[in-house]
Amino acid sequence: MAGMVPEGQSFVTSSPLQFIPWMSFSPGLGSPFPWLRELKSEERGLYLIHLLVWCANHVAAGSLENANIGLEQISQLASTDGDTMQRIAAYFNEALAYRMLKAWPGLYKALNSTKISLVSEEIHVQKLFFELCPFLKLAYVITNQAIVEAMEGEKMVHIIDFNCFEPAQWINLFQTFNARPEGPPHLRITGMHEQKEVLDHMARRLTEEAQKWDIPFQFNPVVCKLENLDLESLRVKTGEALAVSSVLQLHSLLVTDDEMHKWKVNSPSISKTDRSHRVLQMNQRTLGELLKKEPVHAYSPSSDLTSPSPLSPLSLAPAPKMGSFLTALRALSPKLIVITEQESNNSGSTLMERVMEALNFYAALFDCLESTVSRAPLERKKVEKMLFGEEIKNIIACEGVERKERHEKLEKWILRLELAGFGRVPLSYHGMLQAGRLLQTNNYDGYKIKEENGCLVICWQERPLYSISAWRFRPYD
């Protein structure tokens, strides 16, 4: 049967060509693998998934010659202009190639020494993501509703925004505050971003809108990355009710030197052969469908008694920066903290863990873009390459302190925050209704909002992609 590993051969050592026995492998003019281009869409998708996993196993094992064969075949099939499977394969292929290249630091540095990274382009692609996908819009709506409810009756409100780049979120909050029966509070927003120009723009726009809605307002810019932030410098005043908004930022504090902080990683409960079987036997038409059916089987933790429970503190990766940051944040006694994060476990210590988890997560993101935006627009390409593609590259090609995209699922965020002394604040049904109305009004078909343990998850079809949770200062007993 096609897609099955021959008995007695491992997934790492078997050639991918053995999985398509009805096709002849012979060099041809223009391409060493001419038959690859004759594959039908579904065959190509299955073959690409197999190739990516096969190639990643060889990269992880240090078998660069075999990995190079896989990269070459993937290049014949992948395309940033193709269907979902072709596009995601192109970016995973690039990420695996970058990881191989890092084996020769001199070569890697020489090839990247003249690379220009334009901050303006990075900001532009963030705004494109906001416009093309509903995820940030939903996060803002739910965050604002939680703030409005928590700040009822408060006369002085201070909001700290850890990713202050989009005025639309706070303009909407101005309107809601202005409609309060008791009138709007005196509002101070401390906006944090690493680019001064972004904060200057935010200050101008928000000041104009605050005047329009007759809201006493002050904007306090902090030019800084979250990992370098000194919370004591935020000057929280006595008598202010403090709210904190963190949208896709907190995971940056999970960065650590993996060589200095080793922790036990349990063996997968299924073999690499079985793992590849499960991926290759799926026959749905899109990459998201191919991967999402049994995503947890890619590397299920062992049920051995020595394995820590997923909800045990022992299951958390060491993160000294996160621990000290949450301790300092708690000292500010915030009335509310709203956290939006990627709903994915991309913080695994092994390459194969991260490859399989990232395939599942980004497959769903590419699928939803395929459904929402046509293939032609340059804007979509920019989001896929400069946002998703760069995240994939960081997850797969980097290690140690360079690996900043260490996403964790909601259950682990809950554990981290509760251990740090924060209490959960259930997100209201009204916030969920507002989010649902936004999806309906803008015809965002296929997106769903689900409640989970008092928190909300934003899904594409049935696949959770982002989590939103709310927290408060909890005095120690």
Side-chain angles (χ1 to χ4, degrees):
M1 177 180 176
M4 299 295 288
V5 178
E7 188 175 352
Q9 293 186 334
S10 75
F11 185 61
V12 175
T13 57
S14 304
S15 166
L17 300 173
Q18 294 170 331
F19 290 82
I20 309 206
W22 67 87
M23 294 180 177
S24 62
F25 174 55
S26 57
L29 294 175
S31 168
F33 312 108
W35 51 268
L36 289 177
R37 297 192 178 278
E38 298 174 5
L39 290 173
K40 295 178 182 178
S41 177
E42 190 169 318
E43 292 172 341
R44 181 178 61 219
L46 287 166
Y47 190 54
L48 272 171
I49 293 171
H50 166 67
L51 275 174
L52 284 168
V53 179
W54 183 87
C55 184
N57 267 297
H58 279 295
V59 172
S63 178
L64 301 188
E65 184 175 351
N66 283 327
N68 183 63
I69 294 173
L71 292 177
E72 187 175 3
Q73 292 187 54
I74 294 168
S75 297
Q76 297 295 319
L77 295 175
S79 169
T80 56
D81 295 313
D83 58 28
T84 300
M85 292 169 277
Q86 290 177 298
R87 296 196 326 276
I88 195 170
Y91 295 110
F92 272 82
N93 202 37
E94 180 184 33
L96 289 168
Y98 260 80
R99 187 178 178 93
M100 291 171 63
L101 193 59
K102 279 177 172 282
W104 291 276
L107 183 61
Y108 176 80
K109 290 176 182 177
L111 289 174
N112 287 276
S113 61
T114 58
K115 183 179 178 181
I116 299 175
S117 179
L118 297 176
V119 175
S120 59
E121 280 292 301
E122 294 175 7
I123 296 168
H124 175 60
V125 80
Q126 285 283 350
K127 288 187 174 291
L128 287 177
F129 180 53
F130 170 77
E131 292 166 4
L132 295 180
C133 299
F135 302 116
L136 292 182
K137 297 185 185 78
L138 292 168
Y140 294 160
V141 165
I142 294 167
T143 296
N144 283 2
Q145 181 59 31
I147 290 175
V148 168
E149 292 172 5
M151 299 301 162
E152 185 177 354
E154 296 288 352
K155 295 181 179 180
M156 296 181 66
V157 175
H158 183 183
I159 298 173
I160 299 173
D161 183 356
F162 287 150
N163 187 25
C164 193
F165 82 97
E166 180 50 62
Q169 176 180 10
W170 304 125
I171 291 173
N172 176 267
L173 185 67
F174 289 169
Q175 298 172 20
T176 308
F177 271 153
N178 187 66
R180 292 199 320 182
E182 68 271 32
H186 183 285
L187 180 61
R188 184 156 70 108
I189 293 180
T190 294
M192 194 182 75
H193 198 279
E194 57 186 295
Q195 294 301 315
K196 182 178 181 298
E197 295 79 4
V198 173
L199 294 176
D200 288 343
H201 173 68
M202 289 290 294
R204 286 193 299 272
R205 286 285 288 118
L206 294 182
T207 300
E208 290 171 1
E209 289 293 327
Q211 291 173 351
K212 175 181 175 181
W213 294 99
D214 196 25
I215 293 177
F217 176 71
Q218 179 185 356
F219 186 79
N220 178 38
V222 176
V223 182
C224 184
K225 288 185 177 181
L226 183 61
E227 59 203 71
N228 300 322
L229 177 65
D230 177 8
L231 285 169
E232 294 182 0
S233 69
L234 299 180
R235 304 194 306 275
V236 177
K237 300 175 182 177
T238 303
E240 287 183 329
L242 179 63
V244 178
S245 171
S246 176
V247 179
L248 308 183
Q249 293 300 300
L250 214 54
H251 67 263
S252 65
L253 298 176
L254 294 173
V255 172
T256 186
D257 187 337
D258 299 313
E259 292 304 313
M260 293 178 63
H261 300 280
K262 290 286 187 183
W263 67 92
K264 184 177 180 180
V265 178
N266 297 288
S267 301
S269 61
I270 55 174
S271 68
K272 290 178 180 177
T273 300
D274 289 339
R275 180 191 331 175
S276 62
H277 284 185
R278 291 186 183 275
V279 175
L280 291 169
Q281 287 173 336
M282 300 174 191
N283 58 6
Q284 283 77 14
R285 294 191 176 276
T286 68
L287 183 53
E289 291 170 333
L290 287 165
L291 287 167
K292 75 183 180 183
K293 193 170 184 180
E294 296 184 54
V296 297
H297 293 307
Y299 50 92
S300 301
S302 171
S303 58
D304 189 89
L305 291 175
T306 60
S307 303
S309 163
L311 299 181
S312 160
L314 295 176
S315 70
L316 296 176
K321 280 188 178 181
M322 179 67 73
S324 59
F325 179 86
L326 291 178
T327 298
L329 184 60
R330 186 183 176 281
L332 298 179
S333 303
K335 192 168 185 180
L336 182 73
I337 305 171
V338 187
I339 298 169
T340 301
E341 281 293 335
Q342 291 90 341
E343 184 65 1
S344 180
N345 278 328
N346 287 325
S347 60
S349 62
T350 69
L351 174 62
M352 288 312 299
E353 281 182 309
R354 302 202 301 269
V355 166
M356 299 304 295
E357 184 68 28
L359 270 172
N360 278 281
F361 180 73
Y362 288 98
L365 279 178
F366 276 72
D367 274 350
C368 73
L369 265 184
E370 174 84 6
S371 173
T372 308
V373 187
S374 63
R375 293 182 192 176
L378 178 62
E379 290 80 4
R380 172 173 144 176
K381 271 191 175 181
K382 284 185 176 181
V383 170
E384 291 180 341
K385 178 173 177 58
M386 298 175 63
L387 185 60
F388 300 160
E390 288 302 308
E391 289 177 356
I392 291 168
K393 191 185 299 181
N394 187 265
I395 290 166
I396 291 174
C398 298
E399 295 292 350
V401 294
E402 289 185 347
R403 182 159 60 86
K404 300 183 183 299
E405 298 297 332
R406 302 187 181 220
H407 310 153
E408 289 189 339
K409 288 192 174 182
L410 178 60
E411 60 186 22
K412 289 195 174 182
W413 285 114
I414 289 174
L415 188 56
R416 286 190 186 280
L417 286 148
E418 288 181 344
L419 288 171
F422 291 97
R424 218 178 314 174
V425 177
L427 290 165
S428 73
Y429 183 66
H430 187 57
M432 190 171 177
L433 281 179
Q434 285 187 315
R437 195 176 301 124
L438 185 150
L439 291 176
Q440 187 175 16
T441 303
N442 293 279
N443 296 317
Y444 283 122
D445 296 330
Y447 297 89
K448 299 178 182 179
I449 312 290
K450 294 184 178 180
E451 189 275 338
E452 187 174 311
N453 297 320
C455 309
L456 297 179
V457 289
I458 308 172
C459 306
W460 167 245
Q461 305 297 354
E462 298 300 324
R463 193 351 174 148
L465 290 177
Y466 296 91
S467 67
I468 306 174
S469 59
W471 303 84
R472 60 174 174 79
F473 164 79
R474 185 180 64 197
Y476 289 127
D477 296 331

